[in-house]
Amino acid sequence: MEKKIMSCLVLAFGLMITLVLNASASAADGITCEEALTQLITCQPYFLGFGPTPSPTCCKGAENVSQQANTTTIRRSLCECFEKAAKAFQIIPERLKQLPQLCKIQVPVPLDPTVDCNTVP
């Protein structure tokens, strides 16, 4: 039963990615919203409150996205992408904010759905 629920959640998360992507602009010459969300898909159970910590695969994806956020334009684009995704996927904001600490990584993009993305350096 639990596997069926997780399968349904993953499918729903994938469909929501498609919806968010259609509403999000891509970053020029850098990682796109679609690429970032795809790399973070394994974080979905953690973001929704399943399990106390993100998986190693989730942390690796977060690290990869973080490394590619190397310009102000890309960081602002990812900020807007994450903001829309957090709302669309009903991600628990506290879980999102805790990800860098739990994965032991530095992130140049605020993981806070309430931040003004125009202020991201």
Side-chain angles (χ1 to χ4, degrees):
M1 178 71 165
E2 188 175 310
K3 286 185 180 185
K4 283 186 178 184
I5 291 172
M6 287 305 293
S7 295
C8 289
L9 286 173
V10 169
L11 177 61
F13 192 72
L15 292 173
M16 291 301 291
I17 286 175
T18 303
L19 293 174
V20 169
L21 298 178
N22 288 334
S24 299
S26 63
D29 297 324
I31 188 170
T32 65
C33 180
E34 177 180 13
E35 292 165 340
L37 293 178
T38 299
Q39 289 189 44
L40 296 174
I41 198 163
T42 58
C43 298
Q44 181 233 3
Y46 168 74
F47 289 151
L48 297 178
F50 297 99
T53 59
S55 69
T57 308
C58 167
C59 290
K60 185 64 177 165
E63 183 178 27
N64 289 341
V65 170
S66 179
Q67 290 172 349
Q68 295 178 65
N70 53 15
T71 69
T72 299
T73 302
I74 293 170
R75 287 189 290 272
R76 288 182 179 173
S77 177
L78 289 176
C79 177
E80 291 172 7
C81 171
F82 296 157
E83 192 173 87
K84 290 175 185 174
K87 291 175 186 170
F89 306 140
Q90 299 180 342
I91 289 172
I92 301 168
E94 293 76 27
R95 291 278 181 129
L96 188 61
K97 292 175 192 176
Q98 293 171 346
L99 187 68
Q101 178 185 1
L102 293 173
C103 289
K104 297 178 176 70
I105 59 171
Q106 295 282 329
V107 294
V109 179
L111 298 179
D112 182 346
T114 63
V115 74
D116 178 2
C117 294
N118 291 320
T119 64
V120 174

